[in-house]
Amino acid sequence: MNLTISGHHLEVTPALREYVRTKLDRITRHFDQVVDVNVLLLVENLKEKSRRQKAEITLHVKGRDIFVEQSHEDLYAAIDQLVDKLDRQVCRHKDRIRDYQHEPVRRQAADLM
């Protein structure tokens, strides 16, 4: 998994980088076929104070890109909410993949007997 963490109007500290990395471990625990992850942390000066800190993530898995964004007044809270959203979308994607796969022919024939 390639992980890219960048900041816009914000310096990404090692503590912030480690916090994002530990939160993304939850995603890879549920779905291990992640190819690439791009995280963008930014501060928007023109927004109201309650939605000033923003976190965006683009997760590239085989056959699909998943994009999630979240704003909050605290960047750590925005990351927490972002990972919750991303976890729901990854689990839903994993269920869709599992629904498309069929049982092998041998197993279907054994069930009929």
Side-chain angles (χ1 to χ4, degrees):
M1 173 178 83
N2 296 329
L3 177 63
T4 305
I5 302 172
S6 58
H8 190 262
H9 297 287
L10 170 77
E11 181 182 344
V12 181
T13 62
L16 193 58
R17 186 176 303 275
E18 186 62 31
Y19 187 76
V20 170
R21 201 173 278 146
T22 58
K23 288 295 182 176
L24 287 176
D25 286 342
R26 179 173 147 194
I27 303 301
T28 57
R29 189 172 358 123
H30 288 153
F31 190 68
D32 60 348
Q33 298 175 357
V34 176
V35 176
D36 190 27
V37 180
N38 293 323
V39 180
L40 178 64
L41 307 172
L42 53 109
V43 177
E44 294 180 342
N45 293 330
L46 301 176
K47 298 278 183 167
E48 67 258 9
K49 288 203 177 229
S50 63
R51 299 290 179 181
R52 199 168 178 187
Q53 311 284 330
K54 188 174 183 182
E56 298 178 354
I57 191 165
T58 305
L59 185 81
H60 178 70
V61 295
K62 185 177 177 184
R64 184 163 185 220
D65 286 338
I66 300 172
F67 175 77
V68 180
E69 64 182 354
Q70 185 64 39
S71 298
H72 200 272
E73 65 184 40
D74 181 29
L75 189 58
Y76 288 97
I79 292 169
D80 289 340
Q81 292 174 358
L82 176 86
V83 171
D84 290 340
K85 277 184 175 181
L86 184 65
D87 189 38
R88 285 192 300 269
Q89 286 192 11
V90 165
C91 287
R92 191 171 34 195
H93 176 70
K94 185 177 175 181
D95 289 341
R96 287 179 184 158
I97 290 173
R98 192 177 310 150
D99 289 342
Y100 286 126
Q101 295 175 350
H102 300 286
E103 292 184 17
V105 176
R106 281 185 251 137
R107 189 174 281 176
Q108 289 176 351
D111 291 339
L112 295 175
M113 294 182 184

